[in-house]
């Protein structure tokens, strides 16, 4: 394996670990529990489910892998905090979207070459990238992995 | 920059981001708040502060960088859950230890060559490493970065 290939393998393992742990926690919550707050006055599980879908769904665009699956949910789960009275999709639609977004991302990730992972992402210019080659696709994935872990720690607090 | 150097830079940036965010959250909590539970019936902030110090302190050994600073705290913060009646160090000692452990880790990390980061860690045999070169020091750091983010998400819930 080349150093690039080793790096891609590590980054993908780290990502898949957090995504599958989060999937397990969401699966362990019934709909009623999903509507509960993670702590008094804080976000509800359903908001964090939608938020993680929305944030991770942006990776399709950022990596140039095609259209997003749920750009229409940004208003509810990205641009606004929880409990602003906005309509949410049903929990069954959200649960299905979680699976779809992450399965499709995994499929796409497998098709990217190690070289492509080390190249710049779409929200960055060639000029900026030349100055800092560490701002590549892998760095975005590491960032999203930590973001997923951050909210996973919160969702895990919902009482079953 | 070589691919290895780019990878090390990304992994360290990801690590330092989570550590400095966590430091900021712990700093924003006074002692009384630190003793509060992150959610009803869950871990207290002070336990998670000790837990993150203890877990991250093990990196000295795992990376072969020298002795741990606080191996004596494993009983309270690693081997046992919160609220088992064990004595905790004072919050001021814990806050100082957080700074010391992470500053010393950063110093050591700077001295490791990119090649060294891609080599196996101490809790792994040469044989196992030959089978999977992705199980190197960087993969351990990515893992600890996600672990820090996980608990950071929880500590951020303490009301100020």
């Amino acid at each position: 394996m080349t150093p690039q290939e080793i790096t891609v393998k590590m980054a993908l393992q780290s990502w898949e670990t957090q995504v599958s742990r989060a999937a397990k926690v969401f699966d362990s919550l019934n709909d009623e529990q999903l509507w509960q707050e993670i702590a008094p006055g804080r976000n509800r599980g359903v908001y964090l489910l939608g938020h993680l879908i929305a944030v991770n769904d942006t990776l399709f665009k950022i990596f140039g892998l095609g259209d997003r699956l749920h750009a229409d949910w940004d208003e509810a789960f990205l641009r606004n905090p929880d409990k602003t009275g906005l309509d949410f999709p049903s929990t069954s639609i959200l649960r299905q979207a979680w699976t779809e977004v992450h399965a499709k991302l995994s499929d796409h990730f497998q098709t990217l070459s190690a070289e492509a992972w080390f190249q710049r992402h779409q929200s960055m210019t060639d000029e900026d990238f030349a100055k800092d080659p560490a701002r590549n696709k892998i760095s975005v994935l590491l960032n999203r992995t930590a973001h997923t872990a951050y909210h996973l720690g919160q969702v895990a607090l919902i009482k079953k």
Side-chain angles (χ1 to χ4, degrees), chain A residues 5-158:
Chain A
E5 287 169 346
I6 293 172
T7 298
V8 171
K9 182 174 178 181
M10 290 189 296
L12 285 178
Q13 272 176 350
S14 182
W15 163 259
E16 297 290 350
T17 298
Q18 298 307 317
V19 167
S20 68
R21 279 186 192 162
K24 205 174 277 184
V25 172
F26 284 124
D27 284 349
S28 75
L29 298 169
N30 62 32
D31 287 352
E32 196 193 332
Q33 290 159 346
L34 207 54
W35 281 98
Q36 283 173 28
E37 295 173 332
I38 51 175
R42 300 298 190 174
N43 289 326
R44 293 169 298 181
V46 67
Y47 177 82
L48 290 178
L49 174 57
H51 178 67
L52 286 174
I53 294 168
V55 169
N56 294 342
D57 183 48
T58 63
L59 291 175
F60 291 108
K61 273 284 173 215
I62 296 173
F63 289 175
L65 297 170
D67 287 335
R68 295 180 52 192
L69 306 190
H70 297 287
D72 49 318
W73 293 351
D74 285 5
E75 200 61 25
F77 297 121
L78 271 186
R79 287 194 212 104
N80 288 287
D82 193 12
K83 302 175 218 167
T84 43
L86 289 166
D87 278 341
F88 286 176
S90 71
T91 51
S92 69
I93 287 178
L94 286 171
R95 289 178 193 275
Q96 204 184 324
W98 170 279
T99 306
E100 275 170 8
V101 165
H102 293 97
K104 201 167 172 188
L105 282 173
S106 288
D107 287 349
H108 276 299
F109 289 172
Q110 296 305 326
T111 68
L112 283 176
S113 69
E115 286 68 32
W117 276 107
F118 272 80
Q119 281 158 13
R120 70 174 178 82
H121 50 83
Q122 304 297 310
S123 27
M124 171 160 234
T125 64
D126 280 328
E127 225 174 26
D128 284 341
F129 183 63
K131 281 182 217 151
D132 186 359
R135 295 178 63 185
N136 56 32
K137 294 193 186 75
I138 299 167
S139 72
V140 176
L141 191 70
L142 295 183
N143 190 300
R144 295 302 163 88
T145 300
H147 177 258
T148 303
Y150 181 96
H151 289 303
L152 167 58
Q154 300 178 328
V155 177
L157 298 174
I158 295 176

